[in-house]
Amino acid sequence: MRNIENAFYIGNNRAMISLGPLTDKKYCPYSCAFCYVKSGFEKYIKLKIDDILVFLEKNREKYDIIYISGDTDSFAPPRTEKAIELIQRISENIDVDITFTTRTIFNEENLNKLKKINDFMKSKNHKLIACISISRLYSASFLEPYPIPAPLDRITMLKKLKENGLNTILATRPFLPIIKPEEYIEIIKKSKKYVDAVLGEIWYADQKLINDVCKNNDIRNINFIDKTMDFDNNNKIWKCYEAKEIVEEVTKYCKDNKILFFMRSHPAIEYIRNNY
Ligand code: SF4
């Protein structure tokens, strides 16, 4: 069980934090069908921004980058402004790079706030890296139900964030057995001018998630391997879809088009931190 001392996950030099569960009953404003958080991920604690800063200061020697990510989309309405305030307060109080992940759409006012924070962080030689998740383009809309913004609107968001000077990552993740490699490649094709790197990821599932996502698809030939997570404290053995065919085709497309592609966020973030 998490407590205030152990409110978030810190490991591999990264502090992974969030605004915590949206309510007692709902951890995230969105409800992605494939989301592993509902299936055994050790949820973070909901803290005020001041208390998140205390936690980060207390553990300062254990990380060199902060991920605002993890167990909820902190940037989705109704918490968009609060999550941006969290980035701003961290940037003003801690000398550190920050990356954040979301599926949300920022309005012009919020884009402008992010631009200002990014300009401020750049002046201190720090990076603000925006990672936008897009898990499908035209098929299986039930995977990312309303109110999750349409995939094309999220691609426009990558464009706007890039135009505002932020480093950007497209996260086509997780790779799912019911989406064809061509669909992931299409997402990358449409986004490639606006991103510094592309991420894929294996899918951490259990039997319930597999049923929810794969529904009537024939998955008898799909291989799921047993694995624990190395980015969370839970001890669960997950059924993982490694997506070998998708990885192979996406890797080839990205190589042919000189796009940086990674299956883990850590090397992508490190590349951007060291080369941009
Ligand atoms: S946005 Fe992220 S945390 Fe929220 S439901 Fe989707 S995958 Fe889960």
Side-chain angles (χ1 to χ4, degrees):
M1 280 288 282
R2 293 197 179 274
N3 53 47
I4 194 138
E5 300 298 322
N6 176 31
F8 305 108
Y9 177 78
I10 299 190
N12 299 327
N13 265 336
R14 302 172 295 182
M16 302 184 75
I17 63 165
S18 78
L19 291 178
L22 181 65
T23 66
D24 290 345
K25 297 208 170 76
K26 192 155 168 50
Y27 62 92
C28 181
Y30 296 149
S31 305
C32 305
F34 45 78
C35 181
Y36 52 64
V37 179
K38 61 186 163 198
S39 281
F41 187 91
E42 198 174 6
K43 293 180 194 62
Y44 301 162
I45 288 189
K46 187 173 188 157
L47 294 180
K48 291 189 181 127
I49 291 180
D50 282 343
D51 294 329
I52 296 176
L53 286 171
V54 169
F55 173 91
L56 289 170
E57 299 277 13
K58 222 184 230 175
N59 290 284
R60 184 63 190 95
E61 77 288 356
K62 298 184 191 152
Y63 62 87
D64 68 4
I65 183 165
I66 293 171
Y67 284 46
I68 305 177
S69 187
D71 64 337
T72 185
D73 192 326
S74 301
F75 294 83
R79 299 190 291 186
T80 314
E81 278 77 17
K82 194 170 176 196
I84 293 175
E85 186 193 340
L86 174 62
I87 304 183
Q88 184 176 346
R89 296 278 308 281
I90 295 171
S91 71
E92 289 166 354
N93 288 284
I94 305 175
D95 245 352
V96 72
D97 292 344
I98 303 170
T99 183
F100 67 90
T101 301
T102 185
R103 287 182 159 77
T104 207
I105 297 297
F106 296 109
N107 62 23
E108 289 303 322
E109 189 184 342
N110 287 332
L111 279 168
N112 202 29
K113 283 186 197 164
L114 287 169
K115 179 181 184 319
K116 283 194 179 141
I117 298 169
N118 184 49
D119 291 346
F120 172 70
M121 288 180 67
K122 268 189 178 164
S123 74
K124 299 205 305 173
N125 279 329
H126 284 301
K127 297 237 168 352
L128 178 61
I129 303 168
C131 182
I132 302 288
S133 299
I134 306 176
S135 317
R136 50 164 289 278
L137 186 59
Y138 39 75
S139 63
S141 56
F142 70 91
L143 293 173
E144 296 181 324
Y146 181 83
I148 300 179
L152 287 176
D153 292 341
R154 279 175 271 160
I155 292 174
T156 303
M157 209 33 45
L158 280 165
K159 178 172 185 276
K160 291 191 174 182
L161 289 161
K162 191 64 178 154
E163 285 168 356
N164 279 352
L166 276 75
N167 285 109
T168 51
I169 294 178
L170 162 69
T172 50
R173 62 182 184 183
F175 284 153
L176 297 165
I178 62 161
I179 304 283
K180 298 255 183 302
E182 304 84 76
E183 187 163 336
Y184 291 110
I185 289 172
E186 197 57 36
I187 300 171
I188 298 168
K189 246 187 219 171
K190 288 187 186 313
S191 315
K192 65 181 181 189
K193 282 194 278 179
Y194 321 125
V195 298
D196 299 314
V198 172
L199 285 182
E201 191 185 47
I202 63 174
W203 178 35
Y204 290 86
D206 58 13
Q207 198 52 54
K208 182 173 180 328
L209 284 176
I210 292 172
N211 294 345
D212 288 351
V213 166
C214 300
K215 295 182 184 280
N216 299 325
N217 291 270
D218 182 359
I219 54 163
R220 277 172 299 180
N221 294 328
I222 304 286
N223 197 21
F224 291 90
I225 59 158
D226 289 347
K227 220 170 152 67
T228 53
M229 283 178 175
D230 62 2
F231 53 93
D232 184 48
N233 297 331
N234 74 77
N235 295 320
K236 179 167 172 156
I237 307 290
W238 297 82
K239 291 186 176 304
C240 292
Y241 173 59
E242 292 191 300
K244 290 205 170 115
E245 191 198 340
I246 301 171
V247 174
E248 208 172 280
E249 293 200 29
V250 169
T251 302
K252 180 174 181 327
Y253 175 81
C254 288
K255 193 165 172 234
D256 291 348
N257 288 277
K258 301 191 172 40
I259 300 163
L260 289 168
F261 169 67
F262 302 90
M263 280 298 284
R264 299 298 303 263
S265 59
H266 182 69
I269 303 271
E270 287 312 299
Y271 186 90
I272 289 172
R273 293 173 82 193
N274 294 322
N275 291 282
Y276 285 89

